[in-house]
Amino acid sequence: MMNGGNLVDNDSAVAGGVEDMYGEDIATMGQPVTPWTVSVASGYTLMRDPRHNKGLAFTERERDAHYLRGLLPPIVLSQELQEKRIMHMLRQYKVPLQRYMAMMDLQERNERLFYKLLIDNVEELLPVVYTPTVGEACQKYGSIFRRPQGLYISLKEKGKILEVLKNWPERSVQVIVVTDGERILGLGDLGCQGMGIPVGKLSLYTALGGVRPSACLPITIDVGTNNEKLLNDEFYIGLRQRRATGQEYAELLHEFMSAVKQNYGEKVLIQFEDFANHNAFELLARYSSSHLVFNDDIQGTASVVLAGLLAALKLLGGTLADHGFLFLGAGEAGTGIAELIALEMSKQTGNPIEENRKKIWLVDSKGLIVDSRKHSLQHFKKPWAHEHEPVSKLVDAVKAIKPTVLIGTSGVGKQFTREVVEAMASINEKPLIMALSNPTSQAECTAEEAYTWSEGRAIFASGSPFDPFEYDGKVFVPGQANNAYIFPGFGLGVIMSGAIRVHDDMLLTASEALAAQVTEEHFKKGLIYPPFSDIRKISANIAAKVAAKAYELGLASHLPQPEDLVKYAESCMYSPVYRSYR
């Protein structure tokens, strides 16, 4: 780190928190930088380095200085014109997976153009590089696999994980997104092919949160797969064996966590992604006191949903504690959201969390979670078992509990039937319906169904994007409770404060910061989230609030605290604008 541990050099416009070997950290945007650490005889290598390749944007002077003469056509194109050309090409593709592959190809040959494209066209390209298209990409990863991105750590590497980490070329890693591929979105066990998720998430850390690409490391831990189709697929890229469990699994994960801390230090943020419920809760509980860990499925989802609920109170009226909540799905997302809602109620009312949990009900595959089922429940479901007679069907649970808010985290599509939505609409003037399961095919209901069956009275949000829908002459714009609202800004706040642990209060703060950015204009359209077009500004505000909370809790290590945290967050954000080369 430069400046005795400060995150960014004050003269730098693109510091992003990581010193890099090419001197970009100490150069202003107007200063040229040298893309070489060794002398070279040809610019051919430079054109094949995605971090420094500019394609046809190399100037005449750069072509002379870096041995590029003759290796490029004579025309010089600006980055803006390159961007326009690629967007035109992407729009020609009718199949989303083709767009995904074209974006991945671009990332592998011209990193800055990839991020410029993603930042400037975020609403159009977010569904391409992340949900829902990334789900299909993971299912077909073996067939479309071209060049490895990130690190693959399998059971073969047991006993030498530290050596494997040292093979990664970057030393100043600040965010690791890791998966074992057992529960990819709502698609199940995709084994080693789950790598699309860490790669996609880290693209968003950079594009939406401004974390420098070189500071991001995607990792897949391959312990096998129980997916028979993959085991029999000649193109499958992972270990062809059943999943390791128990002690073998725990030992591999423990070696991984220890090696990460040893190699990258105390302040590297490790984000667990798409682990199965039993492992997700256990890993978070085991390592949250010794490592800087965050589970996006449990904590990120909870934070973004809570933000939507806090914003929706402007439309629903009352406080959080005045409402009743019914969940379909009691896995890591459902119980994570429920717990954060109860924590926020405690913060607002001062009531004990046990009392607040009684306003929140969960339905799993066996029906309503009630006291009489407690003996057979998994440990993370037990706090949600309340006194009530057993109810097996969701529609009957809606009629019995009479919730104002219905939240779907089941991973199973079409569960919010007409009967269920009509029951919600009969109980509430403005039912809040959140169909959060991804990808789109797994959503509990569509925006059209929610608005039509509630006669245009529902406030609707989903996990995957839905187009605006017209009902009875009024256009409704569905909100998207996308984790991408939270985790990039949250991660930036953790990094820029040098936080050493994640605290629940930091998640509550992130939710409140997001909710505060929903304006009256958004509410008029029925939106409970701000538009993604403002995401970098949103992320900077979230980062500032999260960092402030880390300083307040004594968890920050980058001292002294900057005076204006929003400006500081913006100064830390990576810019994908092309640099001038000496």
Side-chain angles (χ1 to χ4, degrees):
M1 285 299 186
M2 299 175 299
N3 299 340
N6 282 354
L7 188 69
V8 23
D9 184 87
N10 293 332
D11 297 328
S12 171
V14 291
V18 179
E19 182 181 5
D20 92 341
M21 67 179 80
Y22 303 109
E24 291 187 31
D25 282 345
I26 52 172
T28 64
M29 283 301 290
Q31 285 179 308
V33 294
T34 304
W36 301 109
T37 53
V38 291
S39 296
V40 290
S42 168
Y44 194 76
T45 314
L46 174 59
M47 287 167 53
R48 273 148 187 78
D49 178 353
R51 191 162 299 163
H52 298 95
N53 179 32
K54 301 200 290 187
L56 291 173
F58 284 109
T59 64
E60 299 287 351
R61 191 174 59 77
E62 288 169 339
R63 294 178 190 208
D64 284 333
H66 295 292
Y67 315 100
L68 291 163
R69 227 9 117 179
L71 299 179
L72 291 162
I75 194 76
V76 176
L77 291 184
S78 67
Q79 192 176 19
E80 287 66 32
L81 206 54
Q82 287 180 320
E83 194 179 348
K84 185 177 176 183
R85 184 170 67 91
I86 289 180
M87 282 309 296
H88 175 73
M89 178 196 75
L90 285 172
R91 287 169 183 149
Q92 306 306 305
Y93 292 127
K94 301 300 175 208
V95 180
L97 190 63
Q98 289 178 322
R99 291 183 187 182
Y100 174 89
M101 291 168 69
M103 285 296 285
M104 291 305 104
D105 283 347
L106 178 61
Q107 188 178 20
E108 286 172 11
R109 72 173 184 272
N110 188 330
E111 188 175 87
R112 285 183 180 272
L113 187 56
F114 169 83
Y115 285 113
K116 185 88 167 63
L117 210 68
L118 190 48
I119 290 166
D120 292 348
N121 305 275
V122 65
E123 287 177 306
E124 186 174 348
L125 294 180
L126 192 62
V128 175
V129 300
Y130 201 60
T131 181
T133 311
V134 74
E136 185 186 356
C138 286
Q139 287 176 309
K140 298 174 180 174
Y141 213 75
S143 302
I144 65 172
F145 181 82
R146 293 179 183 183
R147 176 181 161 184
Q149 291 175 289
L151 280 177
Y152 293 84
I153 295 173
S154 74
L155 290 167
K156 289 181 179 180
E157 281 72 58
K158 197 166 189 292
K160 47 188 176 186
I161 292 177
L162 184 59
E163 290 170 46
V164 174
L165 291 177
K166 289 181 187 298
N167 288 343
W168 187 249
E170 302 296 339
R171 291 289 165 259
S172 300
V173 169
Q174 292 180 312
V175 187
I176 290 171
V177 176
V178 59
T179 187
D180 71 351
E182 190 169 2
R183 192 202 59 84
I184 297 297
L185 300 175
L187 303 169
D189 186 349
L190 298 184
C192 197
Q193 298 191 165
M195 180 56 106
I197 297 293
V199 168
K201 283 265 156 134
L202 286 167
S203 298
L204 302 187
Y205 260 110
T206 297
L208 315 185
V211 179
R212 181 185 284 280
S214 61
C216 299
L217 172 53
I219 295 180
T220 289
I221 293 179
D222 185 0
V223 295
T225 179
N226 294 336
N227 185 326
E228 291 295 340
K229 191 176 171 191
L230 290 179
L231 290 172
N232 296 319
D233 181 354
E234 63 178 326
F235 299 127
Y236 179 55
I237 58 174
L239 291 178
R240 291 177 190 276
Q241 64 174 67
R242 309 288 293 178
R243 274 189 176 273
T245 56
Q247 190 176 347
E248 189 181 13
Y249 180 89
E251 283 174 1
L252 189 75
L253 265 292
H254 190 69
E255 185 190 343
F256 167 73
M257 295 300 287
S258 303
V260 164
K261 199 167 176 178
Q262 190 176 337
N263 203 43
Y264 300 118
E266 189 86 17
K267 291 179 284 191
V268 61
L269 176 61
I270 304 165
Q271 178 170 313
F272 296 121
E273 196 67 41
D274 287 355
F275 284 76
N277 287 341
H278 54 284
N279 289 324
F281 285 104
E282 199 172 309
L283 289 168
L284 192 59
R286 184 180 304 161
Y287 294 108
S288 57
S289 59
S290 59
H291 290 67
L292 182 64
V293 291
F294 173 70
N295 185 305
D296 194 43
D297 306 300
I298 299 171
Q299 296 165 299
T301 302
S303 191
V304 79
V305 173
L306 176 60
L309 295 174
L310 292 173
L313 292 176
K314 298 261 174 64
L315 297 169
L316 297 173
T319 66
L320 209 56
D322 295 329
H323 293 274
F325 302 85
L326 181 63
F327 285 77
L328 176 66
E332 52 198 281
T335 55
I337 298 164
E339 188 69 7
L340 207 63
I341 293 170
L343 277 170
E344 180 68 18
M345 280 186 201
S346 289
K347 185 177 172 184
Q348 291 180 5
T349 63
N351 293 338
I353 194 163
E354 294 76 19
E355 194 177 312
N356 298 326
R357 286 185 184 131
K358 289 173 184 168
K359 293 172 182 167
I360 303 168
W361 296 80
L362 277 66
V363 171
D364 65 8
S365 58
K366 295 181 174 64
L368 193 65
I369 293 178
V370 294
D371 226 24
S372 58
R373 291 180 52 198
K374 216 166 191 174
H375 65 283
S376 62
L377 291 173
Q378 291 160 288
H379 68 93
F380 55 86
K381 294 182 184 180
K382 286 181 179 176
W384 311 102
H386 309 318
E387 280 291 340
H388 200 284
E389 66 272 9
V391 180
S392 58
K393 289 186 178 175
L394 177 62
V395 67
D396 294 332
V398 169
K399 290 171 182 173
I401 304 301
K402 296 185 167 45
T404 44
V405 181
L406 179 64
I407 299 173
T409 61
S410 61
V412 182
K414 307 295 177 195
Q415 296 299 297
F416 292 173
T417 60
R418 181 174 197 134
E419 206 181 356
V420 168
V421 174
E422 285 177 348
M424 281 294 293
S426 70
I427 297 161
N428 302 286
E429 179 58 33
K430 288 182 178 176
L432 175 53
I433 295 171
M434 304 182 89
L436 302 179
S437 293
N438 287 319
T440 313
S441 59
Q442 305 303 113
E444 284 78 8
C445 69
T446 65
E448 181 180 342
E449 288 164 348
Y451 294 129
T452 305
W453 295 337
S454 67
E455 299 175 330
R457 289 187 284 120
I459 300 164
F460 178 80
S462 56
S464 288
F466 283 101
D467 292 329
F469 175 70
E470 187 176 341
Y471 178 83
D472 202 17
K474 185 178 177 184
V475 176
F476 293 91
V477 183
Q480 192 189 350
N482 192 318
N483 292 23
Y485 276 116
I486 290 285
F487 72 79
F490 184 86
L492 179 62
V494 165
I495 291 166
M496 71 188 218
S497 63
I500 53 167
R501 298 289 178 269
V502 168
H503 191 282
D504 283 339
D505 284 355
M506 291 156 73
L507 297 165
L508 296 178
T509 297
S511 300
E512 291 158 7
L514 176 56
Q517 291 174 82
V518 186
T519 65
E520 206 55 52
E521 188 189 331
H522 303 142
F523 288 128
K524 282 177 186 166
K525 296 177 185 171
L527 281 170
I528 54 173
Y529 291 100
F532 261 111
S533 52
D534 295 332
I535 189 64
R536 278 203 149 200
K537 179 171 158 278
I538 293 164
S539 292
N541 277 285
I542 290 171
K545 296 285 190 199
V546 168
K549 183 57 72 173
Y551 282 107
E552 185 190 317
L553 294 167
L555 293 172
S557 64
H558 287 151
L559 301 170
Q561 177 178 339
E563 280 181 35
D564 188 331
L565 282 166
V566 176
K567 275 190 181 166
Y568 185 59
E570 287 169 347
S571 78
C572 290
M573 285 179 148
Y574 164 84
S575 165
V577 174
Y578 285 151
R579 308 305 306 272
S580 296
Y581 295 153
R582 293 188 183 96

